[in-house]
Amino acid sequence: MKYENIIKNILYGLSITVALFLGGCQVQQTTEAKAKPNIIWITCEDISPFVRCFGEENIKTPNIDQLANDGVKYTRAFTTAGVCAPSRSAIITGMHPASIGTQHMRTKAVDPKYRGEGVPNYSAVIPAEVKCFPEYLRMEGYYTTNNQKEDYQFDPPVTVWDDSNPTATFRNNTDGKPFFSVFNLFVTHESQLWFQKGPLTVNPDSVKVPPYYPDTETVRHDIARLYSNIEIMDAQVGEIIAQLKKDGLYEQSYIFFYSDHGGSLPWMKREVLDRGIHIPLVVKFPNQEYAGTENNELVSAVDFAPTVLSLADIKIPGYMRGQAFLGDQKSETQRKYIYAGRDRMDSKYDRVRAVRDKHFEYIYNYMPEQPAYQDLAYRLQIPMMKEILQLKEEGKLNQYTMNWFKTPKATEELYDIDKDPDELHNLAGNPAYKEKLEELRTAFRQWEAKVGDMSTVPEKEMVETWWNGHDEAPVTAVPEIELTTEGAKITCSTPGASIGYRIIKPEEADEKPKRVVQSWDYGTLFGLAKNGDTIEVAPSWKVYDGTPIRLNPGERLRVNAMRIGYQPSEKEFINNK
């Protein structure tokens, strides 16, 4: 089935039955497990703060607004990239994409037109010590689920999630563990600007057209389509919250709502301008602590991983570049700056870095000979993108839209966000702003020197270095299993390898677990099965933490070891004693 049809099938199911993803048994936690809080992430795709409680009056978002009334609204939250995969790599690792080699969008694309020339599909080989943070949660007793997008620029080890697929939910947690659950809502994704054909719920005549767009019927329609999709997404948020309340989990849980990066429209998505990286962020605390308040501190999405660990009372690894903004390990100092970057988008290369404080944004263009605009086949499917190019050829675009196509572009850009929220007027050459320019330039260079930037070498060369000149990724060393009087001990000689294991009882069939498909479930969403069918799902692996594993006679111990970016290795041991 083509990717486009899969998207439409996913969207159809999600748009009307998100709450049913949460179906299943009522979750009960043991007294001991209640010491750790439940944490839920409700994430959406490709929106700036286009939510009524953040000031967008043309959109009705009652459910997100109510969540904000019950929690804290963060007005200055930003992602590290204006596009999903690099941004998600920062969220899952707590590391800036360019510092670990996950900066190019994207590392895996079957169609060559969506990747760099001569660049193979690859899973980024990130530093050996860097883990996906849910693995730390699992090692401390958490049940972790992801429904459903990963897209981290690398294949995650089996140790990251207890369950990661469209059927995953905390309600499958039968052991009473505290849980961390992610629900990703797709309806606001860029692709839905052309896939969605249903009636608009927002009147195109009522929308405000930014000055960097031509004010045309097509542009207004696409803005209204985005806003209408956001209203659908808000209803999905409401369904999830209703289920949490029904299960008695809403009051006592931390609930985050945020977008994976900024807006989906042309010259929004993929940019490091505010409209590409500024996101809505709401956090509801247990018992509605701090309800109805607003936080104006700078928050970066690279801070999400350490913040969750802080809330779960798990020590934050020293390598993480993010800083906790909640919990006992909350940073003692507020952020002075946030940082973002842009690199290859599909087959087009550009290298841009940005630094933002509370009022100004500084941008450094490494490739000023390239226009800010990139001719991307994927984006050309947006009706207004086609029209903008047509108007350009006809000489009918205003000066602000034409700046997108300007070449060469400025090497340095500086914007006063308070006075110029659309970032139309570059102040880098204005003597009155020299001091601010130098401050942010220095902050950029210091950050670059501190965290590193792997875009200093060509992408193809970066991958060749990871792979030691071979045509495929290295293979993780086969794990070793030693049976001792205490139990089975597992080791792997590959530095940074995560080790997962499964115990298979003698009477269990050697096959993948099965689930019965519901009308809203995995098979129907992907067009691969019908309601009532039985389908295979990925088995759940436990995280090996060094504790010897007790095996009964006849039980098999299956082990999976994987360093991120390497190919995994498996080994099996049968206890014949």
Side-chain angles (χ1 to χ4, degrees), residues 190-210:
E190 175 186 29
S191 61
Q192 302 314 303
L193 294 172
W194 63 85
F195 275 135
Q196 274 290 313
K197 303 298 183 183
L200 298 173
T201 58
V202 174
N203 185 348
D205 293 335
S206 70
V207 304
K208 179 183 177 182
V209 178

Side-chain angles (χ1 to χ4, degrees), residues 400-545:
Y400 297 127
T401 312
M402 281 302 300
N403 282 339
W404 194 17
F405 303 93
K406 182 180 178 180
T407 184
K409 59 178 180 284
T411 300
E412 291 184 301
E413 302 172 50
L414 178 69
Y415 299 101
D416 184 336
I417 305 299
D418 293 342
K419 297 179 180 178
D420 180 22
D422 292 315
E423 294 176 286
L424 303 175
H425 306 289
N426 182 8
L427 303 173
N430 188 328
Y433 293 87
K434 180 181 178 181
E435 185 176 343
K436 177 57 69 171
L437 177 70
E438 291 178 348
E439 175 199 336
L440 296 183
R441 180 195 291 144
T442 299
F444 158 59
R445 291 302 181 187
Q446 289 176 342
W447 170 75
E448 183 181 50
K450 180 179 180 180
V451 307
D453 192 334
M454 296 187 71
S455 286
T456 56
V457 300
E459 183 181 16
K460 187 172 183 290
E461 182 180 327
M462 178 180 72
V463 177
E464 289 173 347
T465 301
W466 284 337
W467 292 1
N468 298 314
H470 298 294
D471 294 332
E472 60 181 10
V475 179
T476 307
V478 176
E480 296 295 328
I481 304 171
E482 178 188 4
L483 190 62
T484 70
T485 55
E486 298 174 297
K489 294 184 178 180
I490 310 171
T491 57
C492 180
S493 62
T494 299
S498 295
I499 299 175
Y501 71 94
R502 298 169 56 212
I503 298 175
I504 304 173
K505 299 183 183 300
E507 67 273 14
E508 290 180 347
D510 190 12
E511 58 186 22
K512 290 184 178 181
K514 291 180 171 58
R515 289 182 184 164
V516 176
V517 176
Q518 306 294 325
S519 60
W520 42 271
D521 217 319
Y522 178 92
T524 53
L525 292 180
F526 283 83
L528 302 175
K530 297 179 181 179
N531 184 26
D533 284 353
T534 300
I535 63 168
E536 292 182 345
V537 295
S540 180
W541 299 75
K542 294 183 178 180
V543 183
Y544 182 67
D545 61 3

